[in-house]
Amino acid sequence: MRRAAANDIHEDQLRLADFKATTLMQFVLKSHLAVRRRSALGTLARKFSKSKLAKTCRTLSRSGLFDRDWYLRQYDDVRASRIEPVAHYILCGAFEGRNPNRVFDTAYYLKTNPDVYASGLNPLLHYIRVGEKEKRKPSQKFDPEAYHLSNPDVRVGGGALLKHFLRRTDRGVAEPAYRPKEPEWSFFEKISSATGGPTRQVSDAAVVDVVIPVFKGYSDTLACIASVLSSVNQTAFELVVINDASPDERLTEALIRLETMGLLTLLQNDVNLGFVKTINRGMSRSSRDVIILNSDTLVFNNWIDRLRIHAIEPAVGTVTPFTNNGEICSYPIFCANNPAALEIEFAELDQLAALVNKGRSLEVPTGVGFCMYITRAALDSVGYFDFELFGLGYGEENDFCLRASELGFSNKHALDTFVFHSGAGSFGAKEKTLKRKALQTLTQKYPDYQNIVGRFIERDPARVYRAKLDVVRMLRQAPRAVTLVFTHSLGGGVEKFLSDRSARMPSGEAILAAYPDKAGEAILLRADRDGLNLPNVPSFDLHADEGLFAALLVELNVTRIEVHSTVGWSASLFEKLERLRDSTGISYDVHLHDYTAICPQVTLIDDSGVYCGETGVRACDRCLLVKPGRLREIHPDADNSGMADIRAWRETYHRFLLSARSVVAPSEDTRRRVRKYFPDIDIRVEPHPENHQTYSGVARTYTGGLVKVAVIGAIGPHKGSNILLECARDAIRRSLPLEFVVVGYTNLQSLPPNLKVTGRYEDHEVFSILDQQNAHVVLLPSVLPETYCYTLSIALSAGFPVYAFDFGAPAERLASDARHVLMPLALMTEPASINDLLLSKSLPSQLS
């Protein structure tokens, strides 16, 4: 099984296992095939009872937070392998970004807790041990602190809050449904006064009747009427409310009062006629088009105008908008009731639909009666709803739509309009019985009805339009132009660059990020908002969903594609990008943030732990023999795609770069280094744009005593953590006046007393934290040639002299300033010499 593909995930990240992973996996596989799950885990525990891995297996299994059945359902390859799921998650699943249950988001937890990521500790284990107590969020979907406030009886720690939430929601106690509230009467009085009375009553100008049948539901009904009255439409309409002998006297009095205020036309049924007869009464009272509107709906903005645009197309019979609760017209989850409020107001969702799906509709086998526009032409040809067949209600609108289809009328789904539907209903306990009877009646009359609807659901042509709504909710806007960026989910400089880039985007433009999923064979779209309910943008399979993904890019008006990292992606991405370019006309640009194109190790670091020196093909082949797994970590199907040696690897990337519209490097050093291998590739240098503000007084002037050395950022092995540790140890051995501080975090454990770590920081905090350290110099101990270095920018803005190795982008930026020290590469293995340099006689003058 492969492990995570990342620049800075190394062998020590699997130190939970004190034996070879391959041996364990073979054992677990055999155990699982031989005995039942409990016995397999028992055998595992007995055989490896003293190992850290076995203890972790037991901890996760007993925590109630590792959902074995969910894990198997979610990941087909794990199920097919028959490997015990908890062992798989610990050994490799977590570092592949897989999740242990439906709420805990492994990638999110690692991304928002870089100290956990750097430590190599299993993220779920960390959450169980300390994360929940420290109020760390396991995903954007769940806030432990807020949950504890609403459930004070649940103890904190050990994952208890999350376990309580999972059990509670498993029992069906989900988020509360959104229910509208009736407005104050002053609202209706204000509208009546502003319009001068009965301006919405019948007039020669009206072309549509909005018919609302009412039986029960005071709050729902008044909120619905208020939403109709406050909507702004160019289409003249008459609001017709029919009181079907409501038993609620308060509701009846309110309707009469609204009629008196001139805000609606009220029809009163002397006896309860039921939904079907009541609707028929409303549809037969004029010769206009009709909109049937349930009394438990809310409408927004210019909803009538948009529905009517679709209705005036030739031979249209009915038009149904999007809704949260409307079967085949439901959003965000298709064919489901979505009762909970979203992170935006429903009126804003309607606005987004109007923008991103403007003028879009598609044909459906049947409309849905919560809000259905019916043309008068269809009514004149088809007739009204069939009371004799459908009685009180349910199924009558489906029958009408099928009859309309037989006469040549189409039923449209308006993709640019959203209407909220609470589904409160007036049938109570009868609802399920009525629905079941209606389906039987429809099937008897139309034997192919269920097959027609089933085929539509399977085809789901509206998915791409629901996906557009998901995406614009992610982006917080409906942009006029989108840039799609392919990247990894491992944080670091690429994430910083894209975050800065997003902040600098012109108004009306946005960045949408594509991350590798399912071993790099699928595309996961994500912006900067994790945890939203976005069911229509799941992973797009690179092979099966190619056409759907291309259609979505066109619908979203994606104008640019940029590849910022191929780490973790399948090599088939290269071919798919070319096909996307050909099918959509969208070319791709490549940004060189690392050395993946020339080095399967990404960092140009060999098994020595430092820069390899790029000594030739033979050395590269030897390096791959020592660490062959890196090929599959970077591109999971590298072996199958013929990328099993360094020549094939570079040939594949050569073709990929040749097909790009442009190739961009952030430094001249990167450009020169990559062009040595691809001399025919034109590479443009574009340094990362930054705000180089000066923070005077942060760097301290050396006046004697201890030399305080700051190391900024996330310091892992490739960033020189081993060198830093040895420098600190050497200073102690020789009693040197040196003190080191990592302003950030590191993978190092058991730190010597002259080395401290401040912890992770937000960008806006770093200069304040640096100021508190009273440091004299900054050391950049990176053992790879950096393509760019944001932490160097921090050091320079704070006025520090910088010590860095003489290669990569940092050397390029520091070479012209004599205050800085470029160290020979040979010192990478000589920490004592680095310390001597830090304490050399030239130090005071450099710092003064």
Short mmCIF file of all heavy atoms in Angstrom, two decimals, residues 716-743:
data_model
loop_
_atom_site.label_atom_id
_atom_site.label_comp_id
_atom_site.label_asym_id
_atom_site.label_seq_id
_atom_site.Cartn_x
_atom_site.Cartn_y
_atom_site.Cartn_z
N GLY A 716 10.91 20.97 8.71
CA GLY A 716 11.04 19.52 8.62
C GLY A 716 12.42 19.17 8.12
O GLY A 716 13.29 20.04 7.94
N PRO A 717 12.67 17.87 7.85
CA PRO A 717 14.01 17.44 7.42
C PRO A 717 14.52 18.17 6.18
O PRO A 717 15.68 18.55 6.11
CB PRO A 717 13.83 15.95 7.16
CG PRO A 717 12.72 15.55 8.07
CD PRO A 717 11.78 16.72 8.09
N HIS A 718 13.64 18.37 5.17
CA HIS A 718 14.09 19.04 3.95
C HIS A 718 14.36 20.53 4.19
O HIS A 718 15.06 21.17 3.41
CB HIS A 718 13.09 18.84 2.82
CG HIS A 718 11.78 19.51 3.04
ND1 HIS A 718 10.93 19.17 4.07
CD2 HIS A 718 11.16 20.52 2.38
CE1 HIS A 718 9.86 19.91 4.02
NE2 HIS A 718 9.98 20.75 3.01
N LYS A 719 13.78 21.08 5.25
CA LYS A 719 14.03 22.48 5.61
C LYS A 719 15.18 22.61 6.60
O LYS A 719 15.44 23.69 7.11
CB LYS A 719 12.77 23.09 6.22
CG LYS A 719 11.60 23.21 5.25
CD LYS A 719 11.79 24.34 4.26
CE LYS A 719 10.52 24.59 3.46
NZ LYS A 719 10.65 25.73 2.54
N GLY A 720 15.87 21.49 6.87
CA GLY A 720 17.08 21.55 7.67
C GLY A 720 16.90 21.30 9.15
O GLY A 720 17.75 21.73 9.95
N SER A 721 15.84 20.60 9.54
CA SER A 721 15.63 20.37 10.98
C SER A 721 16.75 19.54 11.60
O SER A 721 17.14 19.78 12.75
CB SER A 721 14.28 19.67 11.21
OG SER A 721 14.23 18.40 10.58
N ASN A 722 17.29 18.59 10.85
CA ASN A 722 18.38 17.77 11.39
C ASN A 722 19.64 18.61 11.60
O ASN A 722 20.35 18.46 12.61
CB ASN A 722 18.67 16.59 10.46
CG ASN A 722 17.51 15.62 10.39
OD1 ASN A 722 16.78 15.45 11.37
ND2 ASN A 722 17.31 15.00 9.25
N ILE A 723 19.92 19.51 10.66
CA ILE A 723 21.07 20.41 10.81
C ILE A 723 20.87 21.31 12.03
O ILE A 723 21.80 21.51 12.83
CB ILE A 723 21.25 21.26 9.54
CG1 ILE A 723 21.70 20.40 8.36
CG2 ILE A 723 22.25 22.39 9.78
CD1 ILE A 723 21.80 21.16 7.06
N LEU A 724 19.66 21.84 12.16
CA LEU A 724 19.37 22.71 13.29
C LEU A 724 19.59 21.98 14.62
O LEU A 724 20.20 22.52 15.54
CB LEU A 724 17.93 23.20 13.19
CG LEU A 724 17.40 24.04 14.36
CD1 LEU A 724 18.22 25.31 14.53
CD2 LEU A 724 15.92 24.37 14.14
N LEU A 725 19.11 20.74 14.70
CA LEU A 725 19.27 19.96 15.93
C LEU A 725 20.75 19.74 16.25
O LEU A 725 21.19 19.90 17.40
CB LEU A 725 18.55 18.63 15.80
CG LEU A 725 18.63 17.68 17.00
CD1 LEU A 725 18.02 18.32 18.23
CD2 LEU A 725 17.94 16.35 16.67
N GLU A 726 21.53 19.41 15.21
CA GLU A 726 22.95 19.15 15.44
C GLU A 726 23.70 20.43 15.80
O GLU A 726 24.66 20.40 16.59
CB GLU A 726 23.58 18.48 14.21
CG GLU A 726 23.08 17.07 13.96
CD GLU A 726 23.25 16.18 15.19
OE1 GLU A 726 24.32 16.23 15.83
OE2 GLU A 726 22.29 15.46 15.53
N CYS A 727 23.29 21.54 15.23
CA CYS A 727 23.90 22.82 15.62
C CYS A 727 23.65 23.10 17.09
O CYS A 727 24.56 23.54 17.83
CB CYS A 727 23.34 23.96 14.76
SG CYS A 727 24.00 24.04 13.08
N ALA A 728 22.41 22.88 17.54
CA ALA A 728 22.09 23.11 18.95
C ALA A 728 22.89 22.18 19.86
O ALA A 728 23.41 22.59 20.91
CB ALA A 728 20.59 22.94 19.17
N ARG A 729 23.00 20.92 19.47
CA ARG A 729 23.76 19.96 20.27
C ARG A 729 25.25 20.32 20.31
O ARG A 729 25.89 20.22 21.36
CB ARG A 729 23.56 18.55 19.71
CG ARG A 729 22.18 17.97 19.98
CD ARG A 729 21.98 16.65 19.25
NE ARG A 729 20.71 16.02 19.61
CZ ARG A 729 20.21 14.95 18.99
NH1 ARG A 729 20.88 14.39 17.97
NH2 ARG A 729 19.07 14.43 19.38
N ASP A 730 25.78 20.73 19.17
CA ASP A 730 27.19 21.12 19.13
C ASP A 730 27.44 22.33 20.02
O ASP A 730 28.48 22.40 20.71
CB ASP A 730 27.60 21.44 17.68
CG ASP A 730 29.00 22.01 17.59
OD1 ASP A 730 29.97 21.24 17.77
OD2 ASP A 730 29.11 23.24 17.36
N ALA A 731 26.51 23.26 20.03
CA ALA A 731 26.67 24.45 20.88
C ALA A 731 26.71 24.06 22.35
O ALA A 731 27.46 24.65 23.14
CB ALA A 731 25.53 25.43 20.61
N ILE A 732 25.93 23.07 22.73
CA ILE A 732 25.95 22.61 24.13
C ILE A 732 27.25 21.89 24.44
O ILE A 732 27.88 22.14 25.49
CB ILE A 732 24.74 21.69 24.40
CG1 ILE A 732 23.44 22.51 24.38
CG2 ILE A 732 24.89 20.97 25.73
CD1 ILE A 732 22.19 21.69 24.54
N ARG A 733 27.69 21.03 23.53
CA ARG A 733 28.93 20.27 23.77
C ARG A 733 30.11 21.20 23.95
O ARG A 733 30.98 20.98 24.79
CB ARG A 733 29.18 19.31 22.58
CG ARG A 733 28.38 18.02 22.62
CD ARG A 733 28.93 17.01 21.64
NE ARG A 733 28.92 17.51 20.26
CZ ARG A 733 27.92 17.33 19.41
NH1 ARG A 733 26.86 16.66 19.79
NH2 ARG A 733 27.99 17.82 18.19
N ARG A 734 30.15 22.27 23.15
CA ARG A 734 31.31 23.16 23.18
C ARG A 734 31.05 24.42 24.02
O ARG A 734 31.85 25.35 23.99
CB ARG A 734 31.69 23.55 21.76
CG ARG A 734 32.18 22.36 20.92
CD ARG A 734 32.94 22.85 19.67
NE ARG A 734 32.03 23.38 18.65
CZ ARG A 734 32.38 24.28 17.73
NH1 ARG A 734 33.61 24.79 17.75
NH2 ARG A 734 31.51 24.68 16.82
N SER A 735 29.91 24.45 24.69
CA SER A 735 29.55 25.60 25.54
C SER A 735 29.60 26.91 24.76
O SER A 735 30.14 27.92 25.23
CB SER A 735 30.49 25.68 26.75
OG SER A 735 30.39 24.50 27.53
N LEU A 736 29.04 26.89 23.56
CA LEU A 736 29.02 28.09 22.71
C LEU A 736 27.86 29.00 23.11
O LEU A 736 26.78 28.53 23.48
CB LEU A 736 28.88 27.69 21.24
CG LEU A 736 29.98 26.78 20.67
CD1 LEU A 736 29.66 26.43 19.22
CD2 LEU A 736 31.34 27.45 20.77
N PRO A 737 28.04 30.29 23.01
CA PRO A 737 26.98 31.24 23.38
C PRO A 737 25.94 31.38 22.27
O PRO A 737 25.76 32.46 21.70
CB PRO A 737 27.75 32.55 23.61
CG PRO A 737 28.91 32.45 22.68
CD PRO A 737 29.31 31.01 22.65
N LEU A 738 25.27 30.28 21.95
CA LEU A 738 24.29 30.26 20.87
C LEU A 738 22.95 29.75 21.42
O LEU A 738 22.90 28.78 22.18
CB LEU A 738 24.73 29.33 19.74
CG LEU A 738 25.78 29.85 18.76
CD1 LEU A 738 26.28 28.73 17.86
CD2 LEU A 738 25.21 30.99 17.92
N GLU A 739 21.90 30.42 21.00
CA GLU A 739 20.55 29.99 21.36
C GLU A 739 19.70 30.04 20.10
O GLU A 739 19.74 31.01 19.34
CB GLU A 739 19.97 30.91 22.43
CG GLU A 739 18.62 30.46 22.94
CD GLU A 739 18.14 31.35 24.06
OE1 GLU A 739 18.53 31.09 25.21
OE2 GLU A 739 17.39 32.31 23.77
N PHE A 740 18.93 28.97 19.87
CA PHE A 740 18.14 28.84 18.64
C PHE A 740 16.65 28.84 18.99
O PHE A 740 16.23 28.28 20.01
CB PHE A 740 18.48 27.55 17.92
CG PHE A 740 19.92 27.43 17.50
CD1 PHE A 740 20.86 26.90 18.38
CD2 PHE A 740 20.35 27.84 16.25
CE1 PHE A 740 22.20 26.80 18.01
CE2 PHE A 740 21.67 27.74 15.88
CZ PHE A 740 22.61 27.22 16.76
N VAL A 741 15.86 29.46 18.13
CA VAL A 741 14.41 29.44 18.31
C VAL A 741 13.75 29.23 16.95
O VAL A 741 14.08 29.92 15.97
CB VAL A 741 13.89 30.73 18.97
CG1 VAL A 741 14.29 31.97 18.17
CG2 VAL A 741 12.37 30.67 19.14
N VAL A 742 12.85 28.27 16.89
CA VAL A 742 12.04 28.07 15.69
C VAL A 742 10.77 28.90 15.85
O VAL A 742 9.95 28.63 16.72
CB VAL A 742 11.68 26.58 15.50
CG1 VAL A 742 10.74 26.42 14.31
CG2 VAL A 742 12.94 25.75 15.30
N VAL A 743 10.65 29.90 15.03
CA VAL A 743 9.43 30.71 15.02
C VAL A 743 8.48 30.01 14.03
O VAL A 743 8.48 30.28 12.84
CB VAL A 743 9.72 32.16 14.60
CG1 VAL A 743 8.41 32.96 14.56
CG2 VAL A 743 10.70 32.80 15.57
#
